[in-house]
Amino acid sequence: EWHNLKLVRLRPEVAQKLRRQSFYSESSHCTLTKLRMMRLSQCRKRTLVASAIVVATICSDGAAVSGWQLLPLLALLHLLAAVVGSWMALRTCLIRAYCRLPLPLNFISRAWGRCHSRPLPRLARAPVYRLYSRLCSCDLTEADCQGLADFNSLAEFFSRSLRPGLRPVCPTSDLVSPADGRVLSLGRVYAGHLEQVKGITYSLQGFLGPQPIGEFDKNQTLPSNHKASSSDGPYLEGLRRLPGTQLFHCTIYLAPGDYHRFHSPADWLVLARRHFPGRLLSVAPPVAACVAGLFCVNERAVFVGEWRHGFFSMTAVGATGVGSISVACDPELATNRGAKQAGPAGFADRRLQPNPRFGKGEPFGQFNLGSTVVLVFEAPEQFQFAATAGQKIRVGQSFGWVHS
């Protein structure tokens, strides 16, 4: 592993080609390694640029500074660049070991769920909740309660509601934010792949599963490491329902300190749900940047329907400690119960009858801890997002619209 972590200089055109080919070939591990090394090289270059700025600042003061006097400073900055690069390489190895080792993450999440659902002594509630709020940067002033002691357990505190009027819904946008969190990625679906983080993609068919939802061949299985193929073209055409449209996607990460409920991002009709039992790896950005197809591996509940521009889906992705995903329109959904509930195809479908219709900004479901919401939807080519990758957003905030 350390032998592969060798610094590789890549020309811009080669780096662009690697980004396009990421996870399209069997050598995805080598591609990931080169992309990470490119980031290490960029980090070291930025440190050298910073050292040049420091030198220029010192020399601009008018003082007579010789090169020998600047040598210790330059050596210190070069050492700092080497330490930063080594730490990034070590962090990547630790994350990959965490994902590859057979850790009982599902069992740990179930045990955590039982523990944090038990009532706390009334005197201990406020100190425990304040400690958690300081560690995770929670804004307790937004909670809809008379006092912290009103929350009987950690589960109630995690899934707390907000005071009315704190999250106004933008009335002019076609799409609003479904959750409080940070945008990991957004854009169009290219060649049947979604962007997980910058430079890393995963298969749309591996994420949503085969069509049609609600009906499947018992002999049809879909491995979690599904890669792009020539069949992804008809698959995308099967999702699109109107002419002159494109498929778009966005991924929103909910940190442990964020508001844990998610809402309807648009006016849409929910037709069915597909549940994929799976692992419960962390979905934090450092892990998402190292694990290929993370959202295809983790447990998730895909809700599919229609809106006025065609196909629409919202997926709640589980994570470590988030063994429970509850949705108001689907009380039969039971997560983190093992692979037995998956069925012969590796997932379980359920058509919702009658089909629930959600308005923009209406409550939809909740996590028991921070996780991820992924939207995949059809829209005209004139659709534009109102947010950028890395931006913090809130429920009801304008997220996109169709230019007339």
Side-chain angles (χ1 to χ4, degrees):
E1 187 70 19
W2 283 101
H3 176 72
N4 290 332
L5 293 175
K6 183 179 180 181
L7 186 60
V8 179
R9 285 184 174 273
L10 298 176
R11 298 191 305 275
E13 60 271 20
V14 177
Q16 187 71 15
K17 183 178 180 181
L18 283 175
R19 286 195 185 97
R20 273 193 254 107
Q21 292 180 348
S22 182
F23 302 110
Y24 281 71
S25 63
E26 297 296 335
S27 59
S28 59
H29 170 72
C30 180
T31 301
L32 266 180
T33 302
K34 291 182 179 179
L35 285 174
R36 293 192 190 104
M37 293 306 98
M38 184 173 60
R39 292 170 187 160
L40 289 179
S41 178
Q42 291 174 351
C43 179
R44 292 173 179 174
K45 287 178 182 177
R46 292 190 189 113
T47 309
L48 293 178
V49 171
S51 64
I53 294 175
V54 171
V55 172
T57 303
I58 294 175
C59 295
S60 64
D61 293 337
V65 181
S66 64
W68 293 104
Q69 292 173 320
L70 293 176
L71 188 59
L73 177 61
L74 293 175
L76 179 61
L77 291 173
H78 185 73
L79 178 62
L80 177 62
V83 169
V84 170
S86 300
W87 161 245
M88 291 179 65
L90 178 60
R91 186 183 68 170
T92 299
C93 290
L94 292 176
I95 291 175
R96 297 187 68 179
Y98 153 77
C99 296
R100 290 182 176 180
L101 291 176
L103 300 175
L105 298 178
N106 295 64
F107 172 77
I108 293 173
S109 298
R110 284 194 292 270
W112 167 247
R114 294 190 184 98
C115 290
H116 83 279
S117 297
R118 294 188 174 182
L120 292 176
R122 191 172 184 84
L123 294 178
R125 293 174 188 174
V128 171
Y129 299 153
R130 288 196 184 97
L131 176 61
Y132 176 84
S133 302
R134 290 180 181 177
L135 294 175
C136 299
S137 302
C138 296
D139 189 357
L140 297 180
T141 61
E142 295 184 340
D144 186 13
C145 64
Q146 298 295 330
L148 293 179
D150 293 343
F151 300 112
N152 295 323
S153 62
L154 284 171
E156 291 186 11
F157 177 73
F158 291 150
S159 58
R160 63 193 178 277
S161 59
L162 301 180
R163 289 188 286 108
L166 286 180
R167 297 292 187 271
V169 179
C170 180
T172 59
S173 294
D174 296 312
L175 190 72
V176 298
S177 171
D180 286 11
R182 185 178 300 277
V183 180
L184 291 185
S185 64
L186 75 173
R188 294 191 179 187
V189 177
Y190 289 106
H193 275 65
L194 313 177
E195 188 178 51
Q196 184 167 295
V197 293
K198 187 175 181 180
I200 299 178
T201 62
Y202 60 99
S203 167
L204 175 62
Q205 186 173 356
F207 181 68
L208 295 181
Q211 295 178 343
I213 189 168
E215 301 175 5
F216 58 92
D217 184 355
K218 293 183 178 180
N219 297 322
Q220 184 178 14
T221 58
L222 190 71
S224 59
N225 60 349
H226 172 83
K227 294 181 172 60
S229 66
S230 59
S231 63
D232 278 339
Y235 181 81
L236 296 182
E237 291 299 326
L239 292 180
R240 287 197 290 265
R241 301 176 184 179
L242 297 176
T245 58
Q246 296 287 336
L247 288 179
F248 296 83
H249 76 93
C250 62
T251 304
I252 302 172
Y253 168 69
L254 288 71
D258 288 326
Y259 171 55
H260 293 101
R261 301 188 182 188
F262 51 98
H263 295 237
S264 172
D267 299 327
W268 66 305
L269 181 69
V270 183
L271 300 178
R273 176 261 295 165
R274 174 169 285 172
H275 175 216
F276 290 85
R279 300 192 66 185
L280 290 175
L281 298 172
S282 171
V283 292
V287 180
C290 296
V291 181
L294 173 64
F295 301 140
C296 296
V297 174
N298 272 16
E299 183 170 15
R300 58 199 181 277
V302 183
F303 290 87
V304 175
E306 296 176 342
W307 71 325
R308 66 190 186 97
H309 298 298
F311 173 80
F312 196 94
S313 72
M314 180 163 67
T315 303
V317 183
T320 305
V322 193
S324 175
I325 302 172
S326 58
V327 176
C329 66
D330 188 13
E332 296 184 12
L333 176 64
T335 56
N336 196 16
R337 295 295 185 270
K340 295 181 179 179
Q341 58 180 343
F347 53 83
D349 286 354
R350 178 174 181 261
R351 292 195 174 274
L352 303 179
Q353 296 293 344
N355 299 134
R357 185 177 294 275
F358 285 88
K360 189 168 51 177
E362 290 185 7
F364 194 90
Q366 66 182 37
F367 297 106
N368 280 335
L369 203 62
S371 193
T372 300
V373 174
V374 181
L375 303 180
V376 180
F377 55 93
E378 180 182 4
E381 296 183 356
Q382 297 82 8
F383 179 86
Q384 288 190 357
F385 284 101
T388 57
Q391 178 180 339
K392 287 283 289 184
I393 58 175
R394 289 189 169 190
V395 171
Q397 180 179 334
S398 175
F399 203 58
W401 62 84
V402 178
H403 284 279
S404 56

